[in-house]
Amino acid sequence: MASNDVDSVPGTFAPALRELGMQLRKLGAHRSIQIGGILFGAIVLVAIFADLIAPFDPNENNYRAMLAAPGDAHLLGTDAFGRDILSRVIHGTRLSLVVGIIVVIATGVLGTIIGVLTGYVRWLDSPLMRVMDGLMAFPGVLLAIALAAALGPSVVNAAIALTITFMPRTARIVRGSVLVVREMPYVEAARACGAHDRRIVLRHILPNAMPPLIVQLTFVFSVAILAEAVLSFMGVGPPPPTPSLGNIIAEGRSYIREAPWIALAPGVAIAISVLGLNIIGDGLRDSLDPRLRNL
Amino acid sequence: MRSVIVPRVLSAIPVLFVVSVVTFLLMWLVPGDVASQIAGPDASAAELAAIRERLGLDRSIFEQALIWYGNLFKGDLGQSYVLNRSVVDAVIERLPVTLSLTFLALVLAIVFGFVLGVVAAANHNSWIDQLTMTGALIGLSLPDFWFGLVLIFFFAVELGWFPTGGYVPLAEDPIGWLNAMTLPAMTLALTQMGVIARMVRSSMLEQLGQDYVRTARAKGMPGHVVLFKHALRNALIPVVTLIGIMTGLLLGGAVVIEVVYSLPGVGRLIIGAIQNRDYPIVQGGLLLTAAIFVFVNIAVDILYTFIDPRVRHGKQ
């Protein structure tokens, strides 16, 4: 267990950081990433400052202004309880981003662990991937709905259900990159130098498996936002009266004739978040995935 | 050909096994006591015990699993708690609605997706390309259940061209069926149409950059022949593989669309069962849908070998 000299070469981080900075600047110059960044950035700001921006308490009933059309008092109108739609959409946006972020982090961590295990440890590959295949055999939304329903309606359970649903594909992508990278000459060279598995995985394989993972996680984020809305719409998401974009739409569905504005705004909020993330994801894929670069 | 089909069919066995385990464990995930959830808060201890015994919940999980798998191999997915009938019957009765919705949406998505993708690729980097691709991106970013409500509002509530929901069996009234299915199928197709359009476009552009396309052009072949006979045929191959995955997405999406349009399909059956805590229906619906998805994927893989001569002839 001699303290590993190769493991602690001083100064290896500085060039890595410089490299990262350069990468980020290059990414920032990409037009898709800029456009998507503006759209999604606006949504993130709304979510962060929800308490400051929202003109009303999202759960405050106002029986004098039930189903009020959009106007001066309520910019986007009110629902059947007289609650301000704009405020509910703003808070719903925050909730859907929170669920999205939890799902992205959980999917990223679990997907990476399982992807590396299956890609690097041969005897684990087959059994673990069969489980992943089995999970992927369910139509995604349906599995998420069933899991969320079984676990019971809550923010955390929605995130768990979505993670179980989206993680297998992410694991498969990480595994794919690991399988390619592990055969690279520099990995062989590292092994020849006496580097042990942990170092090879952490310093050589993971960094090189990152780009496809980052692209995938951008899309997981956008799909998670859509799917959280579906769960709430179906009544198995975070329980009311907590405003979520999906349950506002579900409510709007009942008043589609009298008050079509209820369902309109939350859908637009979802669309802007998802569109922004998809545009960012396209840009990231263009600039990070060398196979598509020349297309 | 057999060397392709047999292993592919066999590979479904472990997948279906995992599917069945997940489905079985779903019930075990339910927090608290399933019996008291079914019976409600006022149930007496005797009533609870009776429910547990009837559902086999008083046995250990291994015994329950044994019984469940034993029945599964006999094609019995249990009895609905609420509907008083077998799960298999209830699901199969609803299946035509879901499958026809999925099929219609798939056809719409493929037809329009291909047209948009080919048009965009043929006009690469022009405003037509930009417009179609922006449209495709917006299409795949919209929440489909919400888009369904927008369609209901405009085409059913405001214009009155289509019903706001409900179902008419095809055998009873084909026109009524088409009327009832148009908006749901359009809604469900939207996202996948965008996905296919983008995929077809990039696949076409890749082919259009190949040497054989340049050769064809150089020898004076008309542009549309190059586009359709050369590029499109080769561009088809990666897109076909996508159709298997897409069927799964559409089957899942159909659940939500059925709720939006009040169509009596498997999706609405499952959602209703979730609300009634009718777990056997949830399990059975989930299991059968996943099984259909697995078999569609096998069919697509086999179809793939027919389209791609490289796969059809020689292994490696």
Side-chain angles (χ1 to χ4, degrees), chain A residues 134 136-139 142 149-150 226 233-234 249 253 257 260 263-264 267 271 274-275 278-279 282, chain B residues 19 29-31 137 140-143 145-146 149 153 164 198 248 252 255-256 259-260 262 274 286 293:
Chain A
M136 279 193 278
F138 291 99
L142 195 52
L226 281 173
F233 180 74
M234 293 298 199
I249 297 177
R253 180 178 177 239
R257 284 166 196 280
L264 189 69
V274 174
L275 186 64
N278 283 344
I279 298 176
D282 282 353
Chain B
V19 165
L29 267 183
V30 179
L137 188 62
L140 67 89
S141 301
L142 293 180
F145 64 99
W146 173 79
L149 289 178
F153 180 72
T164 54
R198 280 156 53 105
V255 174
V256 187
V259 172
V260 173
S262 315
I274 285 175
L286 201 61
F293 183 27

mmCIF file of all heavy atoms in Angstrom, chain A residues 134 136-139 142 149-150 226 233-234 249 253 257 260 263-264 267 271 274-275 278-279 282, chain B residues 19 29-31 137 140-143 145-146 149 153 164 198 248 252 255-256 259-260 262 274 286 293:
data_model
loop_
_atom_site.group_PDB
_atom_site.id
_atom_site.type_symbol
_atom_site.label_atom_id
_atom_site.label_comp_id
_atom_site.label_asym_id
_atom_site.label_seq_id
_atom_site.Cartn_x
_atom_site.Cartn_y
_atom_site.Cartn_z
ATOM 1 N N GLY A 134 -34.464 -5.186 -19.098
ATOM 2 C CA GLY A 134 -35.812 -5.446 -18.613
ATOM 3 C C GLY A 134 -36.532 -4.157 -18.266
ATOM 4 O O GLY A 134 -37.697 -3.957 -18.605
ATOM 5 N N MET A 136 -35.876 -1.265 -19.496
ATOM 6 C CA MET A 136 -36.112 -0.500 -20.722
ATOM 7 C C MET A 136 -37.230 -1.112 -21.556
ATOM 8 O O MET A 136 -37.693 -0.494 -22.515
ATOM 9 C CB MET A 136 -34.826 -0.414 -21.541
ATOM 10 C CG MET A 136 -33.893 0.661 -21.033
ATOM 11 S SD MET A 136 -32.556 1.024 -22.195
ATOM 12 C CE MET A 136 -31.412 -0.264 -21.832
ATOM 13 N N ALA A 137 -37.645 -2.326 -21.207
ATOM 14 C CA ALA A 137 -38.699 -2.976 -21.989
ATOM 15 C C ALA A 137 -40.078 -2.403 -21.666
ATOM 16 O O ALA A 137 -41.024 -2.623 -22.402
ATOM 17 C CB ALA A 137 -38.693 -4.478 -21.747
ATOM 18 N N PHE A 138 -40.171 -1.668 -20.556
ATOM 19 C CA PHE A 138 -41.462 -1.037 -20.249
ATOM 20 C C PHE A 138 -41.573 0.264 -21.042
ATOM 21 O O PHE A 138 -40.597 1.002 -21.132
ATOM 22 C CB PHE A 138 -41.555 -0.688 -18.769
ATOM 23 C CG PHE A 138 -41.659 -1.872 -17.872
ATOM 24 C CD1 PHE A 138 -40.552 -2.364 -17.219
ATOM 25 C CD2 PHE A 138 -42.882 -2.495 -17.673
ATOM 26 C CE1 PHE A 138 -40.647 -3.458 -16.386
ATOM 27 C CE2 PHE A 138 -42.990 -3.581 -16.841
ATOM 28 C CZ PHE A 138 -41.870 -4.067 -16.197
ATOM 29 N N PRO A 139 -42.753 0.531 -21.589
ATOM 30 C CA PRO A 139 -42.928 1.868 -22.146
ATOM 31 C C PRO A 139 -42.688 2.873 -21.030
ATOM 32 O O PRO A 139 -43.320 2.794 -19.971
ATOM 33 C CB PRO A 139 -44.388 1.877 -22.591
ATOM 34 C CG PRO A 139 -44.736 0.441 -22.785
ATOM 35 C CD PRO A 139 -43.936 -0.310 -21.771
ATOM 36 N N LEU A 142 -45.290 4.786 -18.805
ATOM 37 C CA LEU A 142 -46.160 3.865 -18.084
ATOM 38 C C LEU A 142 -45.467 3.323 -16.832
ATOM 39 O O LEU A 142 -46.070 3.243 -15.755
ATOM 40 C CB LEU A 142 -46.541 2.719 -19.031
ATOM 41 C CG LEU A 142 -47.691 1.841 -18.611
ATOM 42 C CD1 LEU A 142 -48.905 2.676 -18.275
ATOM 43 C CD2 LEU A 142 -48.022 0.863 -19.723
ATOM 44 N N ALA A 149 -47.243 5.709 -8.655
ATOM 45 C CA ALA A 149 -48.502 5.377 -8.001
ATOM 46 C C ALA A 149 -48.261 4.414 -6.848
ATOM 47 O O ALA A 149 -48.850 4.551 -5.774
ATOM 48 C CB ALA A 149 -49.462 4.763 -9.008
ATOM 49 N N ALA A 150 -47.379 3.436 -7.066
ATOM 50 C CA ALA A 150 -47.114 2.457 -6.013
ATOM 51 C C ALA A 150 -46.424 3.120 -4.820
ATOM 52 O O ALA A 150 -46.749 2.841 -3.674
ATOM 53 C CB ALA A 150 -46.254 1.321 -6.555
ATOM 54 N N LEU A 226 -40.781 16.931 -18.767
ATOM 55 C CA LEU A 226 -42.008 16.491 -19.439
ATOM 56 C C LEU A 226 -42.701 15.398 -18.634
ATOM 57 O O LEU A 226 -43.919 15.421 -18.426
ATOM 58 C CB LEU A 226 -41.685 15.946 -20.831
ATOM 59 C CG LEU A 226 -41.444 16.960 -21.952
ATOM 60 C CD1 LEU A 226 -40.961 16.251 -23.200
ATOM 61 C CD2 LEU A 226 -42.723 17.721 -22.251
ATOM 62 N N PHE A 233 -50.103 15.447 -13.979
ATOM 63 C CA PHE A 233 -51.350 15.500 -14.742
ATOM 64 C C PHE A 233 -52.200 14.279 -14.433
ATOM 65 O O PHE A 233 -53.421 14.356 -14.328
ATOM 66 C CB PHE A 233 -51.016 15.566 -16.242
ATOM 67 C CG PHE A 233 -52.227 15.625 -17.140
ATOM 68 C CD1 PHE A 233 -52.970 16.782 -17.255
ATOM 69 C CD2 PHE A 233 -52.599 14.518 -17.881
ATOM 70 C CE1 PHE A 233 -54.078 16.846 -18.089
ATOM 71 C CE2 PHE A 233 -53.706 14.575 -18.719
ATOM 72 C CZ PHE A 233 -54.449 15.736 -18.817
ATOM 73 N N MET A 234 -51.532 13.126 -14.260
ATOM 74 C CA MET A 234 -52.239 11.877 -13.986
ATOM 75 C C MET A 234 -52.615 11.746 -12.512
ATOM 76 O O MET A 234 -53.216 10.757 -12.119
ATOM 77 C CB MET A 234 -51.350 10.687 -14.346
ATOM 78 C CG MET A 234 -51.091 10.589 -15.806
ATOM 79 S SD MET A 234 -52.643 10.342 -16.655
ATOM 80 C CE MET A 234 -52.085 9.702 -18.176
ATOM 81 N N ILE A 249 -52.427 21.962 -15.363
ATOM 82 C CA ILE A 249 -53.025 21.590 -16.653
ATOM 83 C C ILE A 249 -54.201 20.639 -16.429
ATOM 84 O O ILE A 249 -55.251 20.769 -17.073
ATOM 85 C CB ILE A 249 -51.973 20.951 -17.589
ATOM 86 C CG1 ILE A 249 -50.872 21.959 -17.909
ATOM 87 C CG2 ILE A 249 -52.617 20.470 -18.888
ATOM 88 C CD1 ILE A 249 -49.747 21.422 -18.768
ATOM 89 N N ARG A 253 -58.013 21.285 -17.604
ATOM 90 C CA ARG A 253 -58.735 20.380 -18.494
ATOM 91 C C ARG A 253 -60.230 20.382 -18.178
ATOM 92 O O ARG A 253 -61.063 20.339 -19.062
ATOM 93 C CB ARG A 253 -58.157 18.977 -18.337
ATOM 94 C CG ARG A 253 -58.839 17.987 -19.224
ATOM 95 C CD ARG A 253 -58.230 16.616 -19.099
ATOM 96 N NE ARG A 253 -59.006 15.717 -19.929
ATOM 97 C CZ ARG A 253 -59.625 14.641 -19.470
ATOM 98 N NH1 ARG A 253 -59.533 14.318 -18.204
ATOM 99 N NH2 ARG A 253 -60.326 13.901 -20.285
ATOM 100 N N ARG A 257 -63.655 24.683 -21.510
ATOM 101 C CA ARG A 257 -64.622 25.542 -22.192
ATOM 102 C C ARG A 257 -64.707 26.925 -21.563
ATOM 103 O O ARG A 257 -64.641 27.945 -22.253
ATOM 104 C CB ARG A 257 -66.026 24.912 -22.141
ATOM 105 C CG ARG A 257 -66.194 23.761 -23.098
ATOM 106 C CD ARG A 257 -67.461 22.973 -22.776
ATOM 107 N NE ARG A 257 -67.405 21.673 -23.433
ATOM 108 C CZ ARG A 257 -67.696 21.475 -24.718
ATOM 109 N NH1 ARG A 257 -68.083 22.482 -25.471
ATOM 110 N NH2 ARG A 257 -67.613 20.279 -25.254
ATOM 111 N N PRO A 260 -60.130 28.526 -20.738
ATOM 112 C CA PRO A 260 -59.016 27.850 -21.414
ATOM 113 C C PRO A 260 -57.644 28.377 -20.990
ATOM 114 O O PRO A 260 -56.646 27.685 -21.197
ATOM 115 C CB PRO A 260 -59.278 28.117 -22.903
ATOM 116 C CG PRO A 260 -60.227 29.251 -22.959
ATOM 117 C CD PRO A 260 -61.021 29.200 -21.698
ATOM 118 N N ALA A 263 -55.117 26.116 -18.567
ATOM 119 C CA ALA A 263 -54.224 25.071 -19.075
ATOM 120 C C ALA A 263 -53.132 25.639 -19.975
ATOM 121 O O ALA A 263 -52.083 25.017 -20.144
ATOM 122 C CB ALA A 263 -55.031 24.023 -19.841
ATOM 123 N N LEU A 264 -53.367 26.827 -20.534
ATOM 124 C CA LEU A 264 -52.446 27.344 -21.548
ATOM 125 C C LEU A 264 -51.057 27.658 -20.973
ATOM 126 O O LEU A 264 -50.039 27.136 -21.452
ATOM 127 C CB LEU A 264 -53.043 28.591 -22.200
ATOM 128 C CG LEU A 264 -52.256 29.083 -23.418
ATOM 129 C CD1 LEU A 264 -52.395 28.094 -24.561
ATOM 130 C CD2 LEU A 264 -52.744 30.462 -23.850
ATOM 131 N N GLY A 267 -48.468 24.916 -19.882
ATOM 132 C CA GLY A 267 -47.945 24.184 -21.033
ATOM 133 C C GLY A 267 -46.841 24.964 -21.723
ATOM 134 O O GLY A 267 -45.818 24.402 -22.130
ATOM 135 N N ALA A 271 -42.994 23.925 -22.282
ATOM 136 C CA ALA A 271 -42.419 23.920 -23.631
ATOM 137 C C ALA A 271 -41.144 24.750 -23.685
ATOM 138 O O ALA A 271 -40.158 24.334 -24.306
ATOM 139 C CB ALA A 271 -43.449 24.432 -24.629
ATOM 140 N N VAL A 274 -38.279 22.806 -21.909
ATOM 141 C CA VAL A 274 -37.861 21.628 -22.657
ATOM 142 C C VAL A 274 -37.170 22.032 -23.953
ATOM 143 O O VAL A 274 -36.120 21.489 -24.312
ATOM 144 C CB VAL A 274 -39.073 20.716 -22.940
ATOM 145 C CG1 VAL A 274 -38.685 19.563 -23.834
ATOM 146 C CG2 VAL A 274 -39.652 20.209 -21.637
ATOM 147 N N LEU A 275 -37.740 23.044 -24.622
ATOM 148 C CA LEU A 275 -37.139 23.520 -25.870
ATOM 149 C C LEU A 275 -35.722 24.034 -25.595
ATOM 150 O O LEU A 275 -34.771 23.683 -26.305
ATOM 151 C CB LEU A 275 -38.012 24.624 -26.468
ATOM 152 C CG LEU A 275 -37.623 25.141 -27.835
ATOM 153 C CD1 LEU A 275 -37.749 24.027 -28.866
ATOM 154 C CD2 LEU A 275 -38.520 26.311 -28.248
ATOM 155 N N ASN A 278 -33.434 21.141 -24.975
ATOM 156 C CA ASN A 278 -33.171 20.377 -26.204
ATOM 157 C C ASN A 278 -32.204 21.118 -27.123
ATOM 158 O O ASN A 278 -31.346 20.494 -27.745
ATOM 159 C CB ASN A 278 -34.479 20.089 -26.948
ATOM 160 C CG ASN A 278 -35.260 18.960 -26.302
ATOM 161 O OD1 ASN A 278 -34.710 18.207 -25.500
ATOM 162 N ND2 ASN A 278 -36.526 18.839 -26.637
ATOM 163 N N ILE A 279 -32.355 22.437 -27.202
ATOM 164 C CA ILE A 279 -31.440 23.198 -28.063
ATOM 165 C C ILE A 279 -30.024 23.129 -27.486
ATOM 166 O O ILE A 279 -29.048 22.925 -28.211
ATOM 167 C CB ILE A 279 -31.906 24.664 -28.212
ATOM 168 C CG1 ILE A 279 -33.284 24.712 -28.876
ATOM 169 C CG2 ILE A 279 -30.920 25.458 -29.056
ATOM 170 C CD1 ILE A 279 -33.872 26.093 -28.991
ATOM 171 N N ASP A 282 -28.638 19.721 -28.269
ATOM 172 C CA ASP A 282 -28.188 19.624 -29.664
ATOM 173 C C ASP A 282 -26.828 20.283 -29.838
ATOM 174 O O ASP A 282 -25.935 19.731 -30.487
ATOM 175 C CB ASP A 282 -29.192 20.313 -30.593
ATOM 176 C CG ASP A 282 -30.415 19.445 -30.838
ATOM 177 O OD1 ASP A 282 -30.403 18.288 -30.393
ATOM 178 O OD2 ASP A 282 -31.380 19.930 -31.471
ATOM 179 N N VAL B 19 -38.907 -8.191 -16.617
ATOM 180 C CA VAL B 19 -40.173 -7.467 -16.674
ATOM 181 C C VAL B 19 -41.163 -8.046 -15.662
ATOM 182 O O VAL B 19 -41.800 -7.318 -14.896
ATOM 183 C CB VAL B 19 -40.767 -7.529 -18.104
ATOM 184 C CG1 VAL B 19 -42.231 -7.112 -18.108
ATOM 185 C CG2 VAL B 19 -39.976 -6.638 -19.046
ATOM 186 N N LEU B 29 -43.862 -2.719 -3.421
ATOM 187 C CA LEU B 29 -43.382 -1.351 -3.219
ATOM 188 C C LEU B 29 -44.400 -0.503 -2.469
ATOM 189 O O LEU B 29 -44.049 0.465 -1.816
ATOM 190 C CB LEU B 29 -43.165 -0.679 -4.571
ATOM 191 C CG LEU B 29 -41.809 -0.719 -5.245
ATOM 192 C CD1 LEU B 29 -41.878 0.082 -6.539
ATOM 193 C CD2 LEU B 29 -40.765 -0.126 -4.336
ATOM 194 N N VAL B 30 -45.673 -0.867 -2.634
ATOM 195 C CA VAL B 30 -46.731 -0.052 -2.061
ATOM 196 C C VAL B 30 -46.523 0.070 -0.557
ATOM 197 O O VAL B 30 -46.435 -0.937 0.138
ATOM 198 C CB VAL B 30 -48.105 -0.684 -2.336
ATOM 199 C CG1 VAL B 30 -49.205 0.142 -1.711
ATOM 200 C CG2 VAL B 30 -48.315 -0.832 -3.819
ATOM 201 N N PRO B 31 -46.372 1.308 -0.070
ATOM 202 C CA PRO B 31 -46.095 1.463 1.351
ATOM 203 C C PRO B 31 -47.327 1.097 2.182
ATOM 204 O O PRO B 31 -48.460 1.260 1.733
ATOM 205 C CB PRO B 31 -45.769 2.949 1.485
ATOM 206 C CG PRO B 31 -46.411 3.599 0.323
ATOM 207 C CD PRO B 31 -46.487 2.584 -0.773
ATOM 208 N N LEU B 137 -38.249 20.615 -33.869
ATOM 209 C CA LEU B 137 -37.708 20.770 -32.514
ATOM 210 C C LEU B 137 -38.802 21.232 -31.556
ATOM 211 O O LEU B 137 -38.925 20.715 -30.434
ATOM 212 C CB LEU B 137 -36.546 21.769 -32.540
ATOM 213 C CG LEU B 137 -35.762 21.895 -31.248
ATOM 214 C CD1 LEU B 137 -35.114 20.565 -30.894
ATOM 215 C CD2 LEU B 137 -34.700 22.970 -31.359
ATOM 216 N N LEU B 140 -41.168 18.308 -30.823
ATOM 217 C CA LEU B 140 -40.745 17.291 -29.856
ATOM 218 C C LEU B 140 -40.509 17.869 -28.471
ATOM 219 O O LEU B 140 -40.218 17.145 -27.521
ATOM 220 C CB LEU B 140 -39.531 16.509 -30.378
ATOM 221 C CG LEU B 140 -38.175 17.159 -30.562
ATOM 222 C CD1 LEU B 140 -37.361 17.047 -29.287
ATOM 223 C CD2 LEU B 140 -37.438 16.449 -31.681
ATOM 224 N N SER B 141 -40.637 19.202 -28.344
ATOM 225 C CA SER B 141 -40.481 19.805 -27.018
ATOM 226 C C SER B 141 -41.816 20.082 -26.339
ATOM 227 O O SER B 141 -41.850 20.405 -25.157
ATOM 228 C CB SER B 141 -39.695 21.117 -27.123
ATOM 229 O OG SER B 141 -38.433 20.893 -27.689
ATOM 230 N N LEU B 142 -42.920 19.972 -27.080
ATOM 231 C CA LEU B 142 -44.211 20.258 -26.470
ATOM 232 C C LEU B 142 -44.678 19.057 -25.645
ATOM 233 O O LEU B 142 -44.518 17.918 -26.068
ATOM 234 C CB LEU B 142 -45.265 20.551 -27.543
ATOM 235 C CG LEU B 142 -45.095 21.819 -28.368
ATOM 236 C CD1 LEU B 142 -46.235 21.927 -29.374
ATOM 237 C CD2 LEU B 142 -45.076 23.044 -27.483
ATOM 238 N N PRO B 143 -45.268 19.330 -24.475
ATOM 239 C CA PRO B 143 -45.870 18.221 -23.734
ATOM 240 C C PRO B 143 -47.092 17.726 -24.514
ATOM 241 O O PRO B 143 -47.990 18.521 -24.787
ATOM 242 C CB PRO B 143 -46.289 18.851 -22.405
ATOM 243 C CG PRO B 143 -46.141 20.314 -22.558
ATOM 244 C CD PRO B 143 -45.373 20.619 -23.794
ATOM 245 N N PHE B 145 -49.677 15.789 -23.913
ATOM 246 C CA PHE B 145 -51.030 15.826 -23.332
ATOM 247 C C PHE B 145 -51.582 17.255 -23.344
ATOM 248 O O PHE B 145 -52.772 17.483 -23.541
ATOM 249 C CB PHE B 145 -51.022 15.255 -21.907
ATOM 250 C CG PHE B 145 -50.207 16.033 -20.921
ATOM 251 C CD1 PHE B 145 -50.809 16.927 -20.067
ATOM 252 C CD2 PHE B 145 -48.829 15.866 -20.835
ATOM 253 C CE1 PHE B 145 -50.072 17.643 -19.152
ATOM 254 C CE2 PHE B 145 -48.087 16.573 -19.926
ATOM 255 C CZ PHE B 145 -48.704 17.473 -19.084
ATOM 256 N N TRP B 146 -50.686 18.220 -23.211
ATOM 257 C CA TRP B 146 -51.107 19.622 -23.247
ATOM 258 C C TRP B 146 -51.476 20.022 -24.671
ATOM 259 O O TRP B 146 -52.484 20.688 -24.910
ATOM 260 C CB TRP B 146 -49.966 20.495 -22.721
ATOM 261 C CG TRP B 146 -50.185 21.965 -22.860
ATOM 262 C CD1 TRP B 146 -50.952 22.754 -22.048
ATOM 263 C CD2 TRP B 146 -49.632 22.824 -23.863
ATOM 264 N NE1 TRP B 146 -50.913 24.054 -22.498
ATOM 265 C CE2 TRP B 146 -50.105 24.124 -23.604
ATOM 266 C CE3 TRP B 146 -48.780 22.634 -24.943
ATOM 267 C CZ2 TRP B 146 -49.758 25.221 -24.393
ATOM 268 C CZ3 TRP B 146 -48.431 23.711 -25.731
ATOM 269 C CH2 TRP B 146 -48.918 24.988 -25.455
ATOM 270 N N LEU B 149 -54.880 19.083 -25.392
ATOM 271 C CA LEU B 149 -55.903 20.006 -24.890
ATOM 272 C C LEU B 149 -56.038 21.206 -25.811
ATOM 273 O O LEU B 149 -57.146 21.699 -26.049
ATOM 274 C CB LEU B 149 -55.541 20.481 -23.473
ATOM 275 C CG LEU B 149 -55.660 19.440 -22.368
ATOM 276 C CD1 LEU B 149 -55.238 20.026 -21.037
ATOM 277 C CD2 LEU B 149 -57.093 18.938 -22.282
ATOM 278 N N PHE B 153 -59.360 22.313 -27.683
ATOM 279 C CA PHE B 153 -59.933 23.651 -27.576
ATOM 280 C C PHE B 153 -60.254 24.222 -28.962
ATOM 281 O O PHE B 153 -61.365 24.695 -29.198
ATOM 282 C CB PHE B 153 -58.987 24.584 -26.820
ATOM 283 C CG PHE B 153 -59.531 25.979 -26.690
ATOM 284 C CD1 PHE B 153 -60.593 26.249 -25.831
ATOM 285 C CD2 PHE B 153 -59.012 27.008 -27.451
ATOM 286 C CE1 PHE B 153 -61.114 27.516 -25.731
ATOM 287 C CE2 PHE B 153 -59.533 28.288 -27.357
ATOM 288 C CZ PHE B 153 -60.580 28.549 -26.491
ATOM 289 N N THR B 164 -64.953 16.223 -28.498
ATOM 290 C CA THR B 164 -63.933 16.568 -27.508
ATOM 291 C C THR B 164 -63.333 15.313 -26.890
ATOM 292 O O THR B 164 -62.324 15.375 -26.208
ATOM 293 C CB THR B 164 -64.520 17.400 -26.359
ATOM 294 O OG1 THR B 164 -65.643 16.675 -25.829
ATOM 295 C CG2 THR B 164 -64.980 18.752 -26.823
ATOM 296 N N ARG B 198 -36.069 14.820 -37.775
ATOM 297 C CA ARG B 198 -34.662 15.154 -37.525
ATOM 298 C C ARG B 198 -33.745 14.002 -37.894
ATOM 299 O O ARG B 198 -32.675 14.191 -38.477
ATOM 300 C CB ARG B 198 -34.474 15.514 -36.044
ATOM 301 C CG ARG B 198 -34.890 16.932 -35.738
ATOM 302 C CD ARG B 198 -35.266 17.122 -34.298
ATOM 303 N NE ARG B 198 -34.258 16.685 -33.360
ATOM 304 C CZ ARG B 198 -33.467 17.521 -32.682
ATOM 305 N NH1 ARG B 198 -33.560 18.817 -32.860
ATOM 306 N NH2 ARG B 198 -32.597 17.066 -31.829
ATOM 307 N N GLY B 248 -42.599 1.737 -28.394
ATOM 308 C CA GLY B 248 -42.671 1.743 -26.934
ATOM 309 C C GLY B 248 -43.059 3.105 -26.406
ATOM 310 O O GLY B 248 -43.908 3.233 -25.527
ATOM 311 N N GLY B 252 -46.536 3.999 -24.417
ATOM 312 C CA GLY B 252 -46.550 4.704 -23.135
ATOM 313 C C GLY B 252 -47.315 6.007 -23.252
ATOM 314 O O GLY B 252 -48.147 6.344 -22.405
ATOM 315 N N VAL B 255 -51.182 5.998 -23.159
ATOM 316 C CA VAL B 255 -51.819 5.996 -21.844
ATOM 317 C C VAL B 255 -52.337 7.382 -21.498
ATOM 318 O O VAL B 255 -53.482 7.567 -21.085
ATOM 319 C CB VAL B 255 -50.784 5.578 -20.772
ATOM 320 C CG1 VAL B 255 -51.359 5.697 -19.393
ATOM 321 C CG2 VAL B 255 -50.286 4.191 -21.050
ATOM 322 N N VAL B 256 -51.445 8.357 -21.695
ATOM 323 C CA VAL B 256 -51.776 9.723 -21.314
ATOM 324 C C VAL B 256 -52.831 10.297 -22.263
ATOM 325 O O VAL B 256 -53.779 10.956 -21.837
ATOM 326 C CB VAL B 256 -50.492 10.585 -21.359
ATOM 327 C CG1 VAL B 256 -50.762 11.962 -20.803
ATOM 328 C CG2 VAL B 256 -49.378 9.896 -20.590
ATOM 329 N N VAL B 259 -56.316 9.261 -21.603
ATOM 330 C CA VAL B 259 -56.944 9.990 -20.502
ATOM 331 C C VAL B 259 -57.434 11.346 -20.998
ATOM 332 O O VAL B 259 -58.555 11.763 -20.711
ATOM 333 C CB VAL B 259 -55.955 10.145 -19.328
ATOM 334 C CG1 VAL B 259 -56.522 11.075 -18.265
ATOM 335 C CG2 VAL B 259 -55.632 8.789 -18.738
ATOM 336 N N VAL B 260 -56.590 12.031 -21.803
ATOM 337 C CA VAL B 260 -56.963 13.360 -22.299
ATOM 338 C C VAL B 260 -58.250 13.283 -23.129
ATOM 339 O O VAL B 260 -59.137 14.121 -23.010
ATOM 340 C CB VAL B 260 -55.817 13.962 -23.145
ATOM 341 C CG1 VAL B 260 -56.252 15.259 -23.811
ATOM 342 C CG2 VAL B 260 -54.594 14.208 -22.282
ATOM 343 N N SER B 262 -60.482 10.736 -23.205
ATOM 344 C CA SER B 262 -61.450 9.770 -22.669
ATOM 345 C C SER B 262 -61.647 8.573 -23.601
ATOM 346 O O SER B 262 -62.780 8.217 -23.928
ATOM 347 C CB SER B 262 -62.815 10.408 -22.417
ATOM 348 O OG SER B 262 -62.663 11.627 -21.780
ATOM 349 N N ILE B 274 -55.229 2.450 -10.871
ATOM 350 C CA ILE B 274 -54.344 3.092 -9.900
ATOM 351 C C ILE B 274 -55.180 3.858 -8.888
ATOM 352 O O ILE B 274 -54.953 3.791 -7.680
ATOM 353 C CB ILE B 274 -53.342 4.025 -10.617
ATOM 354 C CG1 ILE B 274 -52.257 3.192 -11.308
ATOM 355 C CG2 ILE B 274 -52.720 5.011 -9.637
ATOM 356 C CD1 ILE B 274 -51.286 4.005 -12.135
ATOM 357 N N LEU B 286 -49.444 -3.471 -17.199
ATOM 358 C CA LEU B 286 -48.027 -3.140 -17.376
ATOM 359 C C LEU B 286 -47.292 -4.294 -18.051
ATOM 360 O O LEU B 286 -46.524 -4.118 -18.995
ATOM 361 C CB LEU B 286 -47.432 -2.864 -15.996
ATOM 362 C CG LEU B 286 -46.162 -2.042 -15.923
ATOM 363 C CD1 LEU B 286 -46.401 -0.661 -16.503
ATOM 364 C CD2 LEU B 286 -45.709 -1.925 -14.478
ATOM 365 N N PHE B 293 -44.328 -4.607 -26.391
ATOM 366 C CA PHE B 293 -43.182 -3.789 -26.772
ATOM 367 C C PHE B 293 -41.974 -4.673 -27.110
ATOM 368 O O PHE B 293 -41.297 -4.476 -28.127
ATOM 369 C CB PHE B 293 -42.876 -2.833 -25.621
ATOM 370 C CG PHE B 293 -41.759 -1.877 -25.880
ATOM 371 C CD1 PHE B 293 -41.429 -1.468 -27.168
ATOM 372 C CD2 PHE B 293 -41.041 -1.343 -24.822
ATOM 373 C CE1 PHE B 293 -40.399 -0.563 -27.394
ATOM 374 C CE2 PHE B 293 -40.010 -0.441 -25.029
ATOM 375 C CZ PHE B 293 -39.693 -0.060 -26.317
#
